[in-house]
Amino acid sequence: MIEKGSTAHSAGSGDPTLDRRYAWAEAAFKEGDAQACVEILDQTLAQAYHFTAAWHLYGLAQEALGHREEAATAWRQCLDLDPNDHFGARLDLARIGAMPAEDATSENFSGTLFDAYAERFDSHLTQALHYNAPTLLMAALTTACDNAGRALRFDTVLDLGCGTGLMGEAIRNEAGFLAGCDVSPRMIERARAKTTDAGGPLYDKLAVAGLTAFLSSRPDASVDLVLAADVFVYLGDLRPAFAQTSRVLKRGGLFAFTVQSHDGEGVVVGADRRFAHGESWLRQRLAETGLRIVALEPASTRQDRDIAVPGLLVVAERG
């Protein structure tokens, strides 16, 4: 679950005058004047060293000026002040190569981000970003089941990072018991409010929890299908999630998910602060946990500035 943490991660300094300076610095940065932003924040941080939001913005401005070491120092200061990383400083450090991407996951940052995003999540994804992960995953599951000569029916389904329930809506008719988890309480509230055509709840169980922790709470060999629609873009090292998924799946159970991808090796954090996973890295990690790939194909689940974001769609089976 999300830790609320202390006021150290808040956007305020506790001093209205310094807060106004921060607002001026933020405006300067948004207008493209990173040098002015740095100069204002130099004065601000001299009087409020504990001002975590200012340190994060200071890092962004220093990066814009080409000062990567100064940016990294500022983001490390963010982590010292707020180890729970509500500003995503780990992502920024990984983005500039100052931290391994596999170590940069921050569930608190994701929870804070999506709490603010919950009210407009569905419309923004489907209309502005042309999000289609549920449709693609359902098509892939249909093909996988057809090829295996099995029915497209799953007694127990886990929807990891379920958000407001878009994947749940897509799989509901093929699921017996449907459970979902998300790190954002407001996303879970939206999912809980959704109902089926018959008037019942869309999900049979919902939890505010990180996906690995949620999987860890499930019994061995108790699940027929695990879904992760566009949630792994917020996780660097997927090995714990893969291992727990393998443990909870029944023999022959399926694991269907999407990732953002890149042409290189391993895991990286892109300019969009999302994780991208290399194909060979995914293949190796799935094999290590006893998950056999049924399908792995290029698939873009959303657009960014009208350009399709490269990704991969995977269906794997528990042997």
Side-chain angles (χ1 to χ4, degrees), residues 49-72:
Y49 197 77
H50 64 282
F51 197 169
T52 315
W55 279 112
H56 186 258
L57 179 59
Y58 192 75
L60 293 175
Q62 291 286 13
E63 181 193 14
L65 293 171
H67 305 157
R68 290 200 167 198
E69 286 300 321
E70 290 84 349

Side-chain angles (χ1 to χ4, degrees), residues 12-79:
S13 68
D15 183 325
T17 299
L18 297 181
D19 288 348
R20 281 195 297 272
R21 286 186 189 172
Y22 173 81
W24 296 337
E26 189 175 39
F29 181 73
K30 289 179 178 178
E31 291 169 3
D33 194 345
Q35 185 60 49
C37 178
V38 165
E39 291 172 1
I40 296 169
L41 291 178
D42 276 333
Q43 301 171 32
T44 305
L45 289 167
Q47 298 177 60
Y49 197 77
H50 64 282
F51 197 169
T52 315
W55 279 112
H56 186 258
L57 179 59
Y58 192 75
L60 293 175
Q62 291 286 13
E63 181 193 14
L65 293 171
H67 305 157
R68 290 200 167 198
E69 286 300 321
E70 290 84 349
T73 298
W75 292 328
R76 291 189 183 104
Q77 180 61 24
C78 279
L79 291 176

